Amino acid sequence: MALRQYQRNLPTASKPVTAMTSMPSIFMRLRRRHARGWLWAVFLVLCPPCAAEQLVIDYVISNSPQRSAWLTIIDQFATANPDIEVINNGFPQEQYKRDFSARLREGHADLAFWYAGERLRDAAGHKLLVPLDAGMLALLASKKFLPGTLDGTRIEGQVYGFPLYYYVWGFIYRKSLFRQLGLQAPATWDEFLQVCARLQAAGVTPLGLGARNAWPAAAWFDYLNLRLNGVAFHRKLLRGDIAFTDARVRQVFDTWGALLRRDYFFAPTIDQEHERVLPYMYRNRVGMMLAGSFIAARFPNVIAPDMGFFPFPVMRPAQPVYEEAPLDVLVLPARGRHPRARNRFLAFLAEGDALRRIAEADQTLAPQAGATSPAVLLGAATAAAWRRAAGHTYFFDRDARADLVAPTYDNLRRFLEPPHDTDQAVRRIEAAREKLR
Protein backbone atom coordinates (compact mmCIF):
# COMPACT_ATOMS: atom_id res chain seq x y z
CA MET A 1 0.00 0.00 0.00
CA ALA A 2 1.35 3.41 -0.91
CA LEU A 3 2.06 5.81 1.87
CA ARG A 4 -0.85 8.06 2.82
CA GLN A 5 0.40 11.32 4.23
CA TYR A 6 -2.16 13.15 6.34
CA GLN A 7 -1.73 16.87 7.00
CA ARG A 8 -3.17 18.20 10.22
CA ASN A 9 -5.23 20.84 8.43
CA LEU A 10 -7.07 18.40 6.19
CA PRO A 11 -10.72 17.59 6.88
CA THR A 12 -11.36 14.52 9.01
CA ALA A 13 -11.87 11.40 6.94
CA SER A 14 -15.38 10.00 6.63
CA LYS A 15 -16.38 7.16 8.92
CA PRO A 16 -15.52 3.66 7.69
CA VAL A 17 -18.26 1.64 6.10
CA THR A 18 -19.75 -0.94 8.46
CA ALA A 19 -21.37 -4.28 7.77
CA MET A 20 -24.81 -2.74 8.50
CA THR A 21 -24.57 -0.31 5.57
CA SER A 22 -26.71 -1.39 2.62
CA MET A 23 -24.75 -2.88 -0.25
CA PRO A 24 -26.63 -0.95 -3.01
CA SER A 25 -25.83 2.41 -1.42
CA ILE A 26 -22.19 1.37 -1.10
CA PHE A 27 -21.93 0.55 -4.78
CA MET A 28 -23.63 3.80 -5.78
CA ARG A 29 -21.12 5.84 -3.80
CA LEU A 30 -18.20 3.79 -5.07
CA ARG A 31 -19.30 4.23 -8.66
CA ARG A 32 -19.58 7.98 -8.28
CA ARG A 33 -16.48 8.66 -6.14
CA HIS A 34 -14.09 5.67 -6.11
CA ALA A 35 -14.72 3.65 -9.22
CA ARG A 36 -11.17 2.42 -9.53
CA GLY A 37 -10.99 1.18 -5.92
CA TRP A 38 -14.40 -0.47 -5.52
CA LEU A 39 -13.16 -4.03 -5.23
CA TRP A 40 -10.79 -3.09 -2.40
CA ALA A 41 -13.58 -1.19 -0.62
CA VAL A 42 -15.94 -4.16 -0.81
CA PHE A 43 -13.16 -6.36 0.59
CA LEU A 44 -12.80 -4.08 3.59
CA VAL A 45 -16.58 -4.15 4.18
CA LEU A 46 -16.73 -7.90 4.12
CA CYS A 47 -13.46 -8.45 6.00
CA PRO A 48 -12.72 -5.58 8.44
CA PRO A 49 -10.10 -7.56 10.40
CA CYS A 50 -8.08 -7.86 7.20
CA ALA A 51 -7.69 -4.06 6.81
CA ALA A 52 -4.20 -2.59 7.16
CA GLU A 53 -2.94 -1.82 10.64
CA GLN A 54 -2.15 1.83 11.17
CA LEU A 55 1.08 3.38 12.42
CA VAL A 56 0.90 7.03 13.47
CA ILE A 57 4.22 8.90 13.74
CA ASP A 58 4.62 12.43 15.16
CA TYR A 59 7.86 14.22 14.31
CA VAL A 60 9.38 17.69 14.07
CA ILE A 61 10.22 19.40 10.78
CA SER A 62 13.38 21.49 11.20
CA ASN A 63 14.40 21.94 7.56
CA SER A 64 13.54 20.81 4.05
CA PRO A 65 16.31 18.18 3.65
CA GLN A 66 15.26 16.58 6.94
CA ARG A 67 11.61 16.52 5.87
CA SER A 68 12.52 14.94 2.52
CA ALA A 69 14.62 12.29 4.24
CA TRP A 70 11.82 11.37 6.64
CA LEU A 71 9.19 11.15 3.92
CA THR A 72 11.43 9.00 1.71
CA ILE A 73 12.19 6.60 4.57
CA ILE A 74 8.55 6.34 5.66
CA ASP A 75 7.49 5.71 2.06
CA GLN A 76 10.08 2.95 1.71
CA PHE A 77 8.82 1.33 4.91
CA ALA A 78 5.21 1.55 3.76
CA THR A 79 6.09 -0.01 0.40
CA ALA A 80 7.91 -2.88 2.10
CA ASN A 81 5.07 -3.35 4.61
CA PRO A 82 1.79 -3.07 2.65
CA ASP A 83 -0.20 -4.37 5.62
CA ILE A 84 0.67 -1.19 7.59
CA GLU A 85 -0.86 2.17 6.78
CA VAL A 86 1.57 4.93 7.86
CA ILE A 87 0.17 8.28 8.97
CA ASN A 88 2.92 10.83 9.55
CA ASN A 89 2.32 14.14 11.28
CA GLY A 90 5.00 16.79 10.84
CA PHE A 91 5.03 19.77 13.21
CA PRO A 92 7.00 23.00 13.62
CA GLN A 93 9.33 22.60 16.60
CA GLU A 94 7.88 25.15 19.03
CA GLN A 95 4.30 24.03 18.43
CA TYR A 96 5.36 20.43 18.92
CA LYS A 97 7.03 21.15 22.26
CA ARG A 98 3.92 22.94 23.44
CA ASP A 99 1.50 20.18 22.39
CA PHE A 100 3.64 17.12 23.12
CA SER A 101 2.26 16.09 26.53
CA ALA A 102 -1.35 16.69 25.49
CA ARG A 103 -0.93 14.54 22.39
CA LEU A 104 0.52 11.74 24.49
CA ARG A 105 -2.36 11.91 26.98
CA GLU A 106 -4.91 11.85 24.17
CA GLY A 107 -3.29 8.85 22.50
CA HIS A 108 -2.69 10.44 19.09
CA ALA A 109 0.54 8.68 18.11
CA ASP A 110 2.25 5.29 18.19
CA LEU A 111 5.73 6.85 17.88
CA ALA A 112 6.72 10.39 18.75
CA PHE A 113 9.84 12.50 18.31
CA TRP A 114 11.38 13.85 21.53
CA TYR A 115 14.57 14.91 23.30
CA ALA A 116 16.88 13.22 25.78
CA GLY A 117 17.21 15.04 29.09
CA GLU A 118 14.90 16.29 31.82
CA ARG A 119 11.95 16.65 29.44
CA LEU A 120 12.14 12.94 28.67
CA ARG A 121 12.46 12.10 32.36
CA ASP A 122 9.38 14.20 33.09
CA ALA A 123 7.27 12.44 30.44
CA ALA A 124 8.39 9.01 31.68
CA GLY A 125 7.73 10.02 35.28
CA HIS A 126 4.14 10.95 34.39
CA LYS A 127 3.65 7.48 32.82
CA LEU A 128 3.14 8.95 29.36
CA LEU A 129 5.76 6.65 27.82
CA VAL A 130 6.72 3.00 27.90
CA PRO A 131 10.34 1.81 27.66
CA LEU A 132 11.89 -0.16 24.85
CA ASP A 133 11.48 -3.88 25.44
CA ALA A 134 14.29 -6.40 25.82
CA GLY A 135 13.95 -7.60 22.24
CA MET A 136 14.38 -4.11 20.82
CA LEU A 137 17.38 -3.43 23.08
CA ALA A 138 18.99 -6.67 21.91
CA LEU A 139 18.44 -5.61 18.28
CA LEU A 140 20.02 -2.20 18.92
CA ALA A 141 23.02 -3.84 20.57
CA SER A 142 23.43 -6.19 17.62
CA LYS A 143 23.33 -3.20 15.25
CA LYS A 144 26.12 -1.49 17.20
CA PHE A 145 24.17 1.42 18.61
CA LEU A 146 26.58 3.46 20.71
CA PRO A 147 26.05 2.74 24.42
CA GLY A 148 26.17 6.47 25.16
CA THR A 149 23.14 7.10 22.97
CA LEU A 150 21.15 4.46 24.86
CA ASP A 151 22.35 5.56 28.28
CA GLY A 152 21.23 9.07 27.40
CA THR A 153 17.59 7.95 27.73
CA ARG A 154 18.02 5.41 30.55
CA ILE A 155 15.70 6.21 33.44
CA GLU A 156 15.68 3.97 36.52
CA GLY A 157 17.36 1.23 34.54
CA GLN A 158 15.06 1.31 31.52
CA VAL A 159 15.67 2.87 28.10
CA TYR A 160 12.90 5.25 27.03
CA GLY A 161 14.25 6.51 23.72
CA PHE A 162 15.15 5.01 20.35
CA PRO A 163 18.20 7.09 19.27
CA LEU A 164 17.84 8.97 15.99
CA TYR A 165 20.92 11.22 15.94
CA TYR A 166 23.04 13.44 18.14
CA TYR A 167 25.28 16.44 17.63
CA VAL A 168 27.98 18.28 19.54
CA TRP A 169 28.43 21.95 20.38
CA GLY A 170 31.78 23.66 20.04
CA PHE A 171 33.55 26.45 18.17
CA ILE A 172 33.57 26.75 14.40
CA TYR A 173 36.21 28.83 12.64
CA ARG A 174 37.88 29.33 9.24
CA LYS A 175 41.03 27.26 9.00
CA SER A 176 42.54 29.62 6.42
CA LEU A 177 42.17 32.59 8.78
CA PHE A 178 43.88 30.72 11.61
CA ARG A 179 46.72 29.70 9.27
CA GLN A 180 47.10 33.25 8.04
CA LEU A 181 47.47 34.53 11.63
CA GLY A 182 49.57 31.59 12.83
CA LEU A 183 46.87 30.42 15.25
CA GLN A 184 46.14 26.91 16.53
CA ALA A 185 42.77 25.69 17.80
CA PRO A 186 42.97 26.37 21.58
CA ALA A 187 42.61 23.52 24.07
CA THR A 188 42.70 25.56 27.31
CA TRP A 189 41.01 28.75 28.44
CA ASP A 190 44.31 30.65 28.56
CA GLU A 191 45.01 29.62 24.98
CA PHE A 192 41.49 30.64 24.01
CA LEU A 193 41.97 34.12 25.48
CA GLN A 194 45.26 34.43 23.59
CA VAL A 195 43.51 33.54 20.32
CA CYS A 196 40.81 36.14 21.06
CA ALA A 197 43.47 38.81 21.68
CA ARG A 198 45.37 37.92 18.49
CA LEU A 199 42.21 38.04 16.39
CA GLN A 200 41.19 41.39 17.81
CA ALA A 201 44.68 42.81 17.21
CA ALA A 202 44.38 41.71 13.56
CA GLY A 203 41.09 43.60 13.18
CA VAL A 204 38.88 40.50 13.45
CA THR A 205 36.18 40.43 16.15
CA PRO A 206 36.92 37.18 17.99
CA LEU A 207 33.39 35.87 18.62
CA GLY A 208 29.99 35.84 16.97
CA LEU A 209 26.72 35.31 18.85
CA GLY A 210 23.29 35.56 17.25
CA ALA A 211 21.06 35.36 20.32
CA ARG A 212 17.73 36.73 19.19
CA ASN A 213 16.13 33.43 20.27
CA ALA A 214 18.31 33.16 23.43
CA TRP A 215 19.29 29.50 23.03
CA PRO A 216 22.73 30.34 21.53
CA ALA A 217 23.37 32.37 24.70
CA ALA A 218 22.28 29.37 26.77
CA ALA A 219 25.08 27.35 25.16
CA TRP A 220 27.60 29.83 26.58
CA PHE A 221 26.02 29.62 30.02
CA ASP A 222 25.97 25.82 29.96
CA TYR A 223 29.59 25.44 28.91
CA LEU A 224 30.99 28.03 31.30
CA ASN A 225 29.09 26.42 34.17
CA LEU A 226 30.17 22.90 33.19
CA ARG A 227 33.82 23.88 32.79
CA LEU A 228 33.96 25.94 35.99
CA ASN A 229 31.63 24.07 38.33
CA GLY A 230 31.20 20.54 37.00
CA VAL A 231 28.28 18.46 35.84
CA ALA A 232 26.76 17.61 39.25
CA PHE A 233 26.45 21.30 40.15
CA HIS A 234 25.13 22.08 36.67
CA ARG A 235 22.35 19.51 36.89
CA LYS A 236 21.27 20.58 40.36
CA LEU A 237 21.20 24.22 39.29
CA LEU A 238 19.07 23.49 36.24
CA ARG A 239 16.65 21.40 38.31
CA GLY A 240 16.13 24.44 40.53
CA ASP A 241 17.87 22.92 43.58
CA ILE A 242 20.57 25.63 43.86
CA ALA A 243 20.10 29.39 44.03
CA PHE A 244 21.28 31.38 41.03
CA THR A 245 22.76 33.88 43.48
CA ASP A 246 25.30 31.22 44.50
CA ALA A 247 28.88 32.51 44.20
CA ARG A 248 29.68 29.79 41.66
CA VAL A 249 26.93 31.04 39.32
CA ARG A 250 28.16 34.60 39.76
CA GLN A 251 31.57 33.42 38.58
CA VAL A 252 30.00 32.12 35.39
CA PHE A 253 28.47 35.51 34.61
CA ASP A 254 31.63 37.37 35.66
CA THR A 255 33.74 35.28 33.28
CA TRP A 256 31.29 35.78 30.44
CA GLY A 257 30.92 39.48 31.20
CA ALA A 258 34.68 39.98 30.97
CA LEU A 259 34.59 38.75 27.36
CA LEU A 260 31.67 41.04 26.55
CA ARG A 261 33.33 44.10 28.10
CA ARG A 262 36.49 43.50 26.04
CA ASP A 263 34.32 43.75 22.90
CA TYR A 264 35.18 40.19 21.99
CA PHE A 265 31.61 39.62 20.71
CA PHE A 266 30.51 41.08 17.37
CA ALA A 267 27.85 43.54 18.53
CA PRO A 268 25.91 43.92 15.22
CA THR A 269 24.72 40.29 15.36
CA ILE A 270 24.10 39.74 19.07
CA ASP A 271 20.38 40.42 18.63
CA GLN A 272 20.07 38.67 15.26
CA GLU A 273 19.33 35.09 14.28
CA HIS A 274 22.10 32.58 14.96
CA GLU A 275 22.86 31.86 11.30
CA ARG A 276 23.25 35.57 10.52
CA VAL A 277 26.74 35.39 12.06
CA LEU A 278 27.98 33.07 9.31
CA PRO A 279 28.40 35.64 6.50
CA TYR A 280 30.65 37.68 8.80
CA MET A 281 32.78 34.57 9.37
CA TYR A 282 33.03 33.94 5.64
CA ARG A 283 34.37 37.50 5.20
CA ASN A 284 36.78 37.16 8.18
CA ARG A 285 34.96 39.81 10.17
CA VAL A 286 34.30 37.28 12.95
CA GLY A 287 36.81 34.64 14.01
CA MET A 288 34.89 32.01 15.99
CA MET A 289 31.35 31.05 16.88
CA LEU A 290 29.98 28.65 19.50
CA ALA A 291 27.48 26.51 17.61
CA GLY A 292 25.91 23.09 17.29
CA SER A 293 27.49 21.07 14.52
CA PHE A 294 24.17 21.10 12.64
CA ILE A 295 25.15 24.63 11.55
CA ALA A 296 27.25 22.95 8.84
CA ALA A 297 24.07 22.45 6.83
CA ARG A 298 24.24 26.19 6.08
CA PHE A 299 27.85 26.27 4.87
CA PRO A 300 28.15 27.18 1.15
CA ASN A 301 29.90 24.44 -0.82
CA VAL A 302 32.83 26.70 -1.67
CA ILE A 303 33.40 27.57 2.03
CA ALA A 304 32.59 24.23 3.69
CA PRO A 305 36.06 22.62 3.34
CA ASP A 306 37.62 25.63 5.08
CA MET A 307 35.44 25.40 8.20
CA GLY A 308 36.95 23.78 11.29
CA PHE A 309 35.70 22.75 14.73
CA PHE A 310 37.21 22.54 18.21
CA PRO A 311 35.59 21.72 21.58
CA PHE A 312 34.92 24.32 24.26
CA PRO A 313 38.30 24.81 25.99
CA VAL A 314 39.21 23.29 29.35
CA MET A 315 39.09 25.80 32.18
CA ARG A 316 40.01 23.64 35.17
CA PRO A 317 42.20 20.59 34.42
CA ALA A 318 40.81 18.63 37.37
CA GLN A 319 37.24 19.05 36.12
CA PRO A 320 35.98 16.12 33.99
CA VAL A 321 35.08 17.32 30.51
CA TYR A 322 31.42 17.01 29.61
CA GLU A 323 30.20 18.01 26.18
CA GLU A 324 26.89 19.52 25.19
CA ALA A 325 25.55 16.81 22.88
CA PRO A 326 21.78 17.00 22.33
CA LEU A 327 20.27 13.61 21.50
CA ASP A 328 17.00 13.33 19.57
CA VAL A 329 14.96 10.16 19.89
CA LEU A 330 11.70 8.43 19.10
CA VAL A 331 9.61 7.56 22.14
CA LEU A 332 6.82 5.05 22.66
CA PRO A 333 3.61 6.73 23.89
CA ALA A 334 1.95 4.67 26.59
CA ARG A 335 -1.41 5.06 24.83
CA GLY A 336 -0.09 4.05 21.42
CA ARG A 337 -2.57 1.69 19.79
CA HIS A 338 -0.31 -0.29 17.46
CA PRO A 339 2.75 -1.67 19.29
CA ARG A 340 3.51 -4.37 16.72
CA ALA A 341 3.56 -1.87 13.85
CA ARG A 342 5.81 0.53 15.71
CA ASN A 343 8.28 -2.23 16.59
CA ARG A 344 8.47 -3.18 12.92
CA PHE A 345 9.19 0.44 12.00
CA LEU A 346 11.91 0.76 14.65
CA ALA A 347 13.48 -2.47 13.40
CA PHE A 348 13.38 -1.06 9.87
CA LEU A 349 15.27 2.03 11.07
CA ALA A 350 17.83 -0.02 12.99
CA GLU A 351 18.59 -2.57 10.29
CA GLY A 352 19.12 -0.35 7.25
CA ASP A 353 20.83 2.95 6.46
CA ALA A 354 17.83 5.15 7.32
CA LEU A 355 19.46 6.73 10.37
CA ARG A 356 22.60 7.59 8.42
CA ARG A 357 20.48 9.31 5.77
CA ILE A 358 18.58 11.34 8.38
CA ALA A 359 21.89 12.36 9.95
CA GLU A 360 23.27 13.46 6.59
CA ALA A 361 20.19 15.59 5.94
CA ASP A 362 20.58 17.26 9.36
CA GLN A 363 24.40 17.37 9.39
CA THR A 364 24.26 15.41 12.65
CA LEU A 365 25.70 12.08 13.79
CA ALA A 366 24.00 8.71 13.45
CA PRO A 367 23.83 6.64 16.67
CA GLN A 368 25.51 3.53 15.29
CA ALA A 369 29.23 2.83 15.54
CA GLY A 370 30.97 3.34 12.21
CA ALA A 371 28.03 5.24 10.70
CA THR A 372 29.82 8.61 10.45
CA SER A 373 29.43 9.80 6.87
CA PRO A 374 31.88 11.96 4.86
CA ALA A 375 28.80 13.96 3.86
CA VAL A 376 28.52 15.23 7.47
CA LEU A 377 30.95 18.14 7.20
CA LEU A 378 32.07 18.39 10.84
CA GLY A 379 31.38 14.74 11.57
CA ALA A 380 34.88 13.44 12.29
CA ALA A 381 35.84 16.29 14.64
CA THR A 382 32.55 16.33 16.52
CA ALA A 383 32.39 12.54 16.85
CA ALA A 384 35.91 12.56 18.30
CA ALA A 385 34.90 15.22 20.85
CA TRP A 386 31.85 13.16 21.81
CA ARG A 387 33.91 9.98 22.29
CA ARG A 388 36.56 11.73 24.43
CA ALA A 389 34.03 13.28 26.79
CA ALA A 390 33.54 12.01 30.34
CA GLY A 391 29.82 12.29 29.65
CA HIS A 392 27.21 14.42 27.94
CA THR A 393 24.60 17.03 28.72
CA TYR A 394 21.70 17.80 26.42
CA PHE A 395 21.36 21.62 26.44
CA PHE A 396 19.74 24.04 28.84
CA ASP A 397 16.14 23.81 27.65
CA ARG A 398 16.29 20.00 27.69
CA ASP A 399 18.10 19.59 30.99
CA ALA A 400 16.35 22.32 33.02
CA ARG A 401 12.95 22.10 34.62
CA ALA A 402 10.58 23.41 31.97
CA ASP A 403 9.23 26.39 33.92
CA LEU A 404 12.75 27.72 34.55
CA VAL A 405 13.67 27.98 30.87
CA ALA A 406 11.74 31.10 29.78
CA PRO A 407 12.78 33.39 32.66
CA THR A 408 16.40 32.28 32.36
CA TYR A 409 16.46 32.86 28.61
CA ASP A 410 14.91 36.29 29.03
CA ASN A 411 17.59 37.30 31.52
CA LEU A 412 20.44 35.87 29.47
CA ARG A 413 19.34 38.20 26.67
CA ARG A 414 19.33 41.12 29.11
CA PHE A 415 22.80 40.22 30.33
CA LEU A 416 24.16 40.52 26.79
CA GLU A 417 23.26 44.20 26.84
CA PRO A 418 25.67 46.67 28.47
CA PRO A 419 26.70 46.96 31.26
CA HIS A 420 26.57 43.10 31.46
CA ASP A 421 25.62 43.27 35.14
CA THR A 422 26.16 39.96 36.98
CA ASP A 423 24.25 41.05 40.07
CA GLN A 424 21.11 41.98 38.16
CA ALA A 425 21.22 38.79 36.07
CA VAL A 426 21.48 36.37 38.99
CA ARG A 427 18.94 38.25 41.13
CA ARG A 428 16.34 38.28 38.35
CA ILE A 429 16.74 34.59 37.55
CA GLU A 430 16.70 33.72 41.26
CA ALA A 431 13.49 35.71 41.74
CA ALA A 432 11.91 33.63 38.98
CA ARG A 433 13.19 30.39 40.55
CA GLU A 434 11.75 31.35 43.95
CA LYS A 435 8.30 31.82 42.40
CA LEU A 436 8.43 28.29 41.02
CA ARG A 437 9.28 26.53 44.27
Side-chain angles (χ1 to χ4, degrees), residues 272-293:
Q272 292 186 0
E273 301 291 344
H274 193 49
E275 61 271 14
R276 293 292 297 275
V277 178
L278 291 175
Y280 294 95
M281 296 192 71
Y282 304 152
R283 297 195 295 270
N284 291 338
R285 296 281 304 281
V286 169
M288 301 176 288
M289 176 184 177
L290 182 60
S293 56

Side-chain angles (χ1 to χ4, degrees), residues 198-209:
R198 290 278 301 281
L199 287 166
Q200 191 177 61
V204 180
T205 304
L207 299 164
L209 176 62

Side-chain angles (χ1 to χ4, degrees), residues 283-354:
R283 297 195 295 270
N284 291 338
R285 296 281 304 281
V286 169
M288 301 176 288
M289 176 184 177
L290 182 60
S293 56
F294 59 83
I295 198 74
R298 296 186 175 273
F299 295 163
N301 290 337
V302 68
I303 297 288
D306 193 35
M307 300 301 293
F309 174 94
F310 64 87
F312 199 98
V314 172
M315 302 182 79
R316 290 180 171 166
Q319 198 74 260
V321 172
Y322 275 69
E323 298 295 350
E324 287 269 82
L327 170 65
D328 293 351
V329 299
L330 288 176
V331 294
L332 283 55
R335 299 192 65 180
R337 298 182 178 93
H338 308 101
R340 287 185 300 176
R342 72 184 176 193
N343 277 348
R344 282 168 62 181
F345 182 73
L346 294 180
F348 175 84
L349 292 181
E351 291 171 346
D353 68 345

Side-chain angles (χ1 to χ4, degrees), residues 187-391:
T188 68
W189 190 247
D190 285 344
E191 292 171 354
F192 178 76
L193 294 178
Q194 291 168 18
V195 168
C196 288
R198 290 278 301 281
L199 287 166
Q200 191 177 61
V204 180
T205 304
L207 299 164
L209 176 62
R212 171 168 289 183
N213 293 320
W215 51 265
W220 273 93
F221 178 85
D222 279 352
Y223 262 123
L224 289 169
N225 196 38
L226 284 167
R227 294 293 189 262
L228 289 169
N229 300 316
V231 70
F233 178 87
H234 183 69
R235 286 173 173 159
K236 288 180 182 178
L237 181 71
L238 269 57
R239 285 199 301 264
D241 296 337
I242 295 174
F244 273 77
T245 49
D246 187 288
R248 290 165 290 185
V249 183
R250 289 179 181 272
Q251 185 181 14
V252 168
F253 282 98
D254 286 343
T255 303
W256 194 4
L259 300 178
L260 288 159
R261 283 186 286 274
R262 292 175 187 170
D263 295 325
Y264 280 176
F265 285 89
F266 191 61
T269 61
I270 284 180
D271 195 36
Q272 292 186 0
E273 301 291 344
H274 193 49
E275 61 271 14
R276 293 292 297 275
V277 178
L278 291 175
Y280 294 95
M281 296 192 71
Y282 304 152
R283 297 195 295 270
N284 291 338
R285 296 281 304 281
V286 169
M288 301 176 288
M289 176 184 177
L290 182 60
S293 56
F294 59 83
I295 198 74
R298 296 186 175 273
F299 295 163
N301 290 337
V302 68
I303 297 288
D306 193 35
M307 300 301 293
F309 174 94
F310 64 87
F312 199 98
V314 172
M315 302 182 79
R316 290 180 171 166
Q319 198 74 260
V321 172
Y322 275 69
E323 298 295 350
E324 287 269 82
L327 170 65
D328 293 351
V329 299
L330 288 176
V331 294
L332 283 55
R335 299 192 65 180
R337 298 182 178 93
H338 308 101
R340 287 185 300 176
R342 72 184 176 193
N343 277 348
R344 282 168 62 181
F345 182 73
L346 294 180
F348 175 84
L349 292 181
E351 291 171 346
D353 68 345
L355 298 178
R356 179 188 58 78
R357 285 185 283 146
I358 293 172
E360 286 181 358
D362 272 341
Q363 287 295 299
T364 54
L365 296 167
Q368 293 152 304
T372 302
S373 165
V376 177
L377 299 175
L378 302 176
T382 56
W386 189 87
R387 288 193 302 269
R388 289 195 301 265

Side-chain angles (χ1 to χ4, degrees), residues 116-133:
E118 199 64 24
R119 289 181 181 236
L120 177 65
R121 183 176 295 275
D122 182 67
H126 283 89
K127 309 299 182 185
L128 298 177
L129 307 174
V130 294
L132 275 61
D133 61 31

